Amino acid sequence: MKKTVSFYTLGCKVNQYETNAMEQQFIKNNYEIVENTQKADIYVINTCTVTNMAERKSRQMLRRVKEINPSAVLVVCGCYAQVAKNELEQIPEIDIILGINEKNEIVQIVENYMEKMAEQDKRSQEAEIDDVSKQKEFLDFGDVTYTEKNRAVVKVQDGCNMFCSYCIIPYARGRIRSRKIESVVSEIKKIAKEGTKEVVITGIHVASYGKDFKEEYRLIDLLEEINKIDGIERIRLGSIEPLMIT
């Protein structure tokens, strides 16, 4: 019988993309995805930290799913986990706390935890969070084609260099890191083959795409390459900073 895993996602389309990527990883490892209102073996809360409301919803949800299945493994990951590890460590319901980069290895981390839990016959809280401020390269999930909707979200950029006084995002997501054009095109070609006709291009500060590349390459260049892909009929942009565009 397959183990079951459920996801609850807060925040932006980047988080939605990363949830899709994590779901795809679990499916490839023979897990079944179920609704977050159902009983599951593993619950993953992909958190947001942009507002106090998002943080509160994150805390409410993690307590709610633990009530559905007290013996489930509860994983909290994402921006709130990245910047508020100490706060989350005070919540005993949480089993695993993961930052931004660790989403890429979530299946292995969860399986190692469950194996250790079975051997020791007890639970203990674990946290794995890299210092995202030191990261210079875009962390690629590979080709993410899994989606539950009729359009696919495609992440092309991460991080922000603006450091606005009111915004925590650069501390949660690090500096600008753009995805290689070859990787974006490869993913969207596979999405088109799946029959999806619309893609949503997203990032933390998507208008700054390419600013970290040595060669002269910008968002418009990426869009022109995507526009050449057969089967894609609409390219939608996620939230974008107009002051960055000529």
Side-chain angles (χ1 to χ4, degrees):
M1 187 174 176
K2 289 184 177 181
K3 285 190 179 297
T4 54
V5 56
S6 176
F7 284 81
Y8 183 76
T9 306
L10 293 117
C12 64
K13 282 186 169 58
V14 170
N15 257 13
Q16 185 58 63
Y17 174 88
E18 291 173 351
T19 289
N20 290 344
M22 290 186 286
E23 287 176 327
Q24 183 170 290
Q25 288 177 18
F26 275 103
I27 290 168
K28 284 182 177 178
N29 284 275
N30 204 35
Y31 288 79
E32 180 184 353
I33 307 296
V34 299
E35 295 293 326
N36 55 51
T37 54
Q38 294 178 256
K39 187 174 181 180
D41 298 305
I42 304 155
Y43 291 98
V44 181
I45 314 298
N46 193 2
T47 62
C48 174
T49 191
V50 170
T51 66
N52 287 334
M53 179 64 74
E55 293 180 1
R56 191 170 75 186
K57 282 184 178 179
S58 299
R59 293 191 296 269
Q60 287 173 344
M61 192 62 193
L62 64 89
R63 290 193 169 101
R64 191 184 310 162
V65 297
K66 204 69 172 184
E67 288 174 3
I68 298 172
N69 183 10
S71 63
V73 174
L74 178 54
V75 184
V76 178
C77 63
C79 293
Y80 185 31
Q82 185 73 37
V83 299
K85 171 177 169 281
N86 292 342
E87 287 182 29
L88 291 173
E89 285 177 331
Q90 305 307 308
I91 302 174
E93 291 91 345
I94 299 173
D95 296 298
I96 304 172
I97 304 169
L98 302 179
I100 299 301
N101 292 343
E102 289 70 28
K103 292 178 182 181
N104 217 8
E105 302 171 359
I106 187 168
V107 176
Q108 190 61 56
I109 291 170
V110 169
E111 289 186 343
N112 288 346
Y113 177 85
M114 291 192 296
E115 188 177 318
K116 190 186 301 181
M117 191 171 66
E119 288 176 355
Q120 298 177 353
D121 196 27
K122 66 176 183 178
R123 314 180 79 99
S124 60
Q125 193 180 83
E126 294 186 1
E128 293 191 32
I129 300 176
D130 283 346
D131 184 354
V132 74
S133 68
K134 296 179 181 178
Q135 188 176 344
K136 295 182 179 179
E137 297 293 326
F138 182 90
L139 183 63
D140 204 323
F141 282 91
D143 292 328
V144 178
T145 59
Y146 178 81
T147 179
E148 296 175 341
K149 300 180 180 180
N150 57 9
R151 66 171 70 107
V153 178
V154 178
K155 178 184 170 186
V156 303
Q157 180 273 338
D158 208 339
C160 180
N161 291 356
M162 302 300 286
F163 286 89
C164 300
S165 60
Y166 56 84
C167 185
I168 199 171
I169 287 300
Y171 303 97
R173 285 280 177 174
R175 297 299 186 105
I176 288 171
R177 305 178 302 284
S178 302
R179 187 176 180 182
K180 301 297 183 188
I181 175 64
E182 298 83 4
S183 176
V184 177
V185 170
S186 170
E187 180 169 291
I188 296 178
K189 282 182 176 178
K190 290 181 180 177
I191 288 169
K193 284 183 180 179
E194 296 278 337
T196 301
K197 300 181 184 300
E198 180 177 337
V199 290
V200 184
I201 304 305
T202 192
I204 295 300
H205 199 256
V206 72
S208 64
Y209 177 84
K211 285 189 174 294
D212 54 324
F213 291 156
K214 290 180 181 178
E215 62 272 23
E216 185 71 20
Y217 206 83
R218 295 293 178 261
L219 180 62
I220 185 62
D221 301 305
L222 175 66
L223 295 177
E224 287 176 349
E225 291 299 318
I226 295 169
N227 194 44
K228 297 174 185 176
I229 298 171
D230 290 337
I232 297 300
E233 298 180 3
R234 176 176 290 176
I235 304 167
R236 188 186 295 262
L237 284 169
S239 55
I240 192 164
E241 174 52 67
L243 295 178
M244 298 293 291
I245 299 176
T246 63

